[in-house]
Amino acid sequence: MKYFWALALLLLASSVSAQVSYQQILNAKSTPQNWLTYSGSYDGRRYSALDQITPANAKDLEIKWVFQTESLQKLESTPLVVNGVLYLTQPPDDIIALDAKSGRVFWVYHYPVPSEAHLCCGLVNRGLAILGNTLFMGTVDGHLVAVDAKDGHLLWDSPLGDNRFGYGITEAPLVVKDKVIVAMAGAESGIRGFVTAYSAETGEQVWKFNTIPGPGEAGNETWPAETWQRGGGSSWMTGSYDPDLNLLYWGIGNPWPDYDWEGRLGDNLYTDSAIALDPDTGKLKWHFQFTPNDRADFDAIQVPVLADITWQGTPRKVVLWANRNGFFYVLDRATGKFLSGKPFVKQTWTTGLDENGRPIRSPQGEATLEGNQVFPGIQGGTNWYSPSFSPRTGLFYVTAWQDYSAVYVKQPSNTGRVTPTIPRSPLPNLARGPINTWTEEVGHGEVQAIDPVTGEKKWVVKMNDVSDSGILTTASDLLFTGNREGYFHVIDDRTGKILWKAITGGQMASAPITYEVGGKQYVAMSAGHALFVFGLRDLAVAGH
């Protein structure tokens, strides 16, 4: 039986009051003092109208408080902030309510993760959703739970997938209307992925969209024989929503097996795709596949960024997508039509994209017995780290990796078939390897500002190492981000000039948020196993 424990500070518990209506989430931009969804608003932009911290005073930032988690797993959570209360998940699946001004703990909800729970890339949790006085969290063993935001007691617990077969949830759910929407991770275990919606009130399933179509469903013909049954197609990042079009956008991950593509000849829909769903029914409205028959684990699990731009002289609703495969895409938001796609990192696996955005594979991207150097590498041109879009500058900002992998095939078996191996990184255990061992020879990390209209880079900030950090932009033309070395950076988002940085002592592996309490703006960013909260120094006090 699931259970919880709450450490309640009784004198403060009455101040923990959420009451977030759907209308408030719809109009999140009008209350920038809060942070109500994973990306701050439905459009996935990670942009805030707060402007108290500026290029002129960024040098006066300091750490205001730090919350140390009890977990040894990497902290990848994006907090929510509601009326001065900050809600944070610590891995694997705890929810903590804190005073957003001081860091004081109000209560803790502990979800009892089974000791045998497993996922490919760590037992992490990336955040929460909220509606009314209820918080929603996915769990690493495949459950969706609802918790009272006032005191942390469990309201309902719904199992979505069996972790014994690899199903689990690491992303933050998304609330749309009266539904909680979440997708399933676990492609590396050979699951059949899906996106699903549950009633926020009762915890009952409303609809389910299988990301790997079965017999009789459009797209099943792209899977040979019975390979669709364990085709992968999971997701571990939160989607976006357009209330005007009433469309839900989600990124879908790799097929299974990851690298043995000859056993699943075909496009393998809807893996490596952007999908647009009706949030009321789960019906597919359109899809765009970035990497058909993926051979390099080029998941399309990036957060869809919704923007309104002028395209060829006409206003257009678009989806902006810097993909793990190394291309930056612009798609029509209503139809999924391909508008443009340009490399934003070095890539050698294609000779380009055709007029419909389909990649034209290059022999330089194929595995060989001798080994082949392929760009981008196993981590991709970017990965799950959240990008940002500023309506003030009209620029798209992304954390990028300039690197390669050495790709080999095994010797032919007695059947004569050649089986690809997992690509080898230029550094041992690169994704979680030693910090500051990155060299110019094997590449580097970057923060890039891209003009969506032209696909050209306006500026690039080069890192000494690489970064798993997402990006936040604000109305004062600031960009906040971090890197694997543990530096927290404040950058002028128009010029790329680094205005201020601070060392935290831990790898930054989420995206910053910003909020306001008592008339003061704060920026929160996880590093290592802790949440760091920054604010402007009180110069009057500092002068004494």
Side-chain angles (χ1 to χ4, degrees):
M1 178 181 292
K2 304 301 179 187
Y3 65 93
F4 76 93
W5 56 272
L7 299 178
L9 301 179
L10 297 179
L11 294 177
L12 295 173
S14 61
S15 67
V16 183
S17 178
Q19 284 296 345
V20 177
S21 69
Y22 173 60
Q23 287 300 316
Q24 285 178 288
I25 302 174
L26 272 178
N27 300 303
K29 297 174 187 176
S30 65
T31 56
Q33 71 272 20
N34 293 325
W35 193 270
L36 299 180
T37 70
Y38 179 79
S39 297
S41 55
Y42 276 137
D43 53 27
R45 297 180 184 180
R46 279 197 182 261
Y47 169 84
S48 171
L50 294 182
D51 59 3
Q52 189 179 95
I53 302 171
T54 69
N57 63 23
K59 65 182 183 301
D60 297 321
L61 284 167
E62 64 179 7
I63 294 174
K64 291 298 184 180
W65 57 267
V66 179
F67 177 77
Q68 296 281 354
T69 68
E70 297 179 358
S71 173
L72 294 180
Q73 292 279 351
K74 184 170 57 174
L75 185 59
E76 297 184 355
S77 176
T78 290
L80 300 182
V81 178
V82 184
N83 302 329
V85 180
L86 185 147
Y87 299 99
L88 177 72
T89 57
Q90 71 173 1
D93 290 318
D94 294 343
I95 305 174
I96 304 169
L98 306 112
D99 186 321
K101 183 177 181 180
S102 67
R104 188 177 184 183
V105 175
F106 291 136
W107 53 258
V108 177
Y109 165 80
H110 171 70
Y111 177 87
V113 175
S115 59
E116 66 274 13
H118 68 283
L119 285 172
C120 83
C121 308
L123 301 182
V124 299
N125 186 296
R126 297 192 176 96
L128 304 158
I130 190 168
L131 182 65
N133 275 319
T134 305
L135 294 163
F136 305 95
M137 178 180 70
T139 72
V140 295
D141 64 336
H143 287 236
L144 181 64
V145 298
V147 171
D148 192 299
K150 298 188 298 296
D151 58 18
H153 77 268
L154 182 66
L155 298 173
W156 51 256
D157 179 344
S158 297
L160 275 63
D162 194 332
N163 184 248
R164 293 176 299 173
F165 300 105
Y167 290 91
I169 303 170
T170 59
E171 69 194 6
L174 185 70
V175 165
V176 174
K177 302 177 185 178
D178 58 350
K179 300 175 185 64
V180 186
I181 300 164
V182 71
M184 195 62 65
E188 288 69 24
S189 298
I191 67 166
R192 183 189 182 195
F194 59 86
V195 182
T196 185
Y198 277 67
S199 165
E201 182 177 356
T202 67
E204 296 177 352
Q205 190 177 65
V206 180
W207 55 256
K208 177 180 179 181
F209 174 78
N210 290 311
T211 58
I212 309 297
E217 297 176 326
N220 179 256
E221 70 280 0
T222 65
W223 294 90
E226 302 301 309
T227 56
W228 63 272
Q229 294 182 356
R230 300 185 65 191
S234 62
S235 181
W236 57 95
M237 288 306 298
T238 310
S240 303
Y241 172 61
D242 184 334
D244 294 330
L245 296 175
N246 195 35
L247 286 179
L248 177 72
Y249 306 89
W250 222 273
I252 307 304
N254 59 278
W256 185 85
D258 300 39
Y259 306 105
D260 189 3
W261 56 273
E262 289 185 318
R264 47 173 173 79
L265 291 175
D267 283 356
N268 306 146
L269 291 173
Y270 295 97
T271 64
D272 294 87
S273 297
I275 60 172
L277 304 176
D278 182 327
D280 300 315
T281 64
K283 182 180 179 181
L284 180 69
K285 292 298 185 178
W286 60 257
H287 78 277
F288 179 85
Q289 189 172 41
F290 301 99
T291 311
N293 191 238
D294 184 6
R295 308 172 188 183
D297 200 14
F298 283 154
D299 311 279
I301 47 71
Q302 297 73 42
V303 174
V305 177
L306 314 185
D308 300 328
I309 64 175
T310 299
W311 186 261
Q312 298 179 351
T314 303
R316 196 148 193 174
K317 293 178 178 291
V318 297
V319 181
L320 306 179
W321 207 298
N323 194 270
R324 186 169 171 173
N325 69 12
F327 284 86
F328 171 72
Y329 296 82
V330 182
L331 308 176
D332 184 281
R333 198 153 82 231
T335 65
K337 180 182 178 181
F338 171 76
L339 300 179
S340 73
K342 292 187 177 182
F344 65 98
V345 295
K346 181 177 179 178
Q347 70 84 26
T348 60
W349 70 280
T350 78
T351 59
L353 307 176
D354 69 15
E355 62 181 5
N356 296 313
R358 188 180 179 91
I360 304 167
R361 290 190 174 273
S362 167
Q364 296 183 49
E366 300 301 330
T368 65
L369 288 172
E370 298 78 18
N372 193 15
Q373 190 182 81
V374 179
F375 292 82
I378 190 172
Q379 288 294 306
T382 190
N383 207 298
W384 63 274
Y385 352 109
S386 293
S388 181
F389 174 81
S390 169
R392 284 178 55 84
T393 65
L395 297 178
F396 176 92
Y397 304 92
V398 64
T399 299
W401 285 33
Q402 299 278 8
D403 75 326
Y404 69 89
S405 287
V407 186
Y408 296 79
V409 294
K410 296 176 181 178
Q411 294 289 342
S413 67
N414 56 13
T415 64
R417 185 172 173 216
V418 176
T419 303
T421 66
I422 295 176
R424 300 180 186 175
S425 299
L427 290 178
N429 195 21
L430 176 61
R432 295 171 179 79
I435 292 175
N436 287 330
T437 55
W438 197 264
T439 66
E440 188 64 30
E441 178 184 1
V442 297
H444 59 272
E446 295 176 348
V447 177
Q448 299 182 3
I450 301 174
D451 183 343
V453 176
T454 65
E456 303 300 321
K457 298 170 192 173
K458 289 297 185 181
W459 54 257
V460 175
V461 173
K462 186 176 176 181
M463 300 283 183
N464 293 326
D465 202 279
V466 291
S467 176
D468 291 337
S469 170
I471 293 172
L472 165 75
T473 56
T474 68
S476 55
D477 294 336
L478 290 181
L479 182 152
F480 300 88
T481 192
N483 65 12
R484 196 171 74 142
E485 293 179 277
Y487 279 104
F488 175 68
H489 287 89
V490 184
I491 299 172
D492 185 313
D493 70 7
R494 291 187 179 274
T495 67
K497 179 181 179 181
I498 297 177
L499 302 173
W500 183 81
K501 66 179 181 179
I503 191 70
T504 63
Q507 177 180 353
M508 293 185 161
S510 64
I513 70 163
T514 188
Y515 61 91
E516 186 177 276
V517 180
K520 294 184 179 181
Q521 183 183 357
Y522 298 87
V523 179
M525 177 81 185
S526 63
H529 312 299
L531 181 74
F532 287 77
V533 176
F534 299 86
L536 292 173
R537 183 167 64 248
D538 188 334
L539 298 179
V541 174
H544 288 289

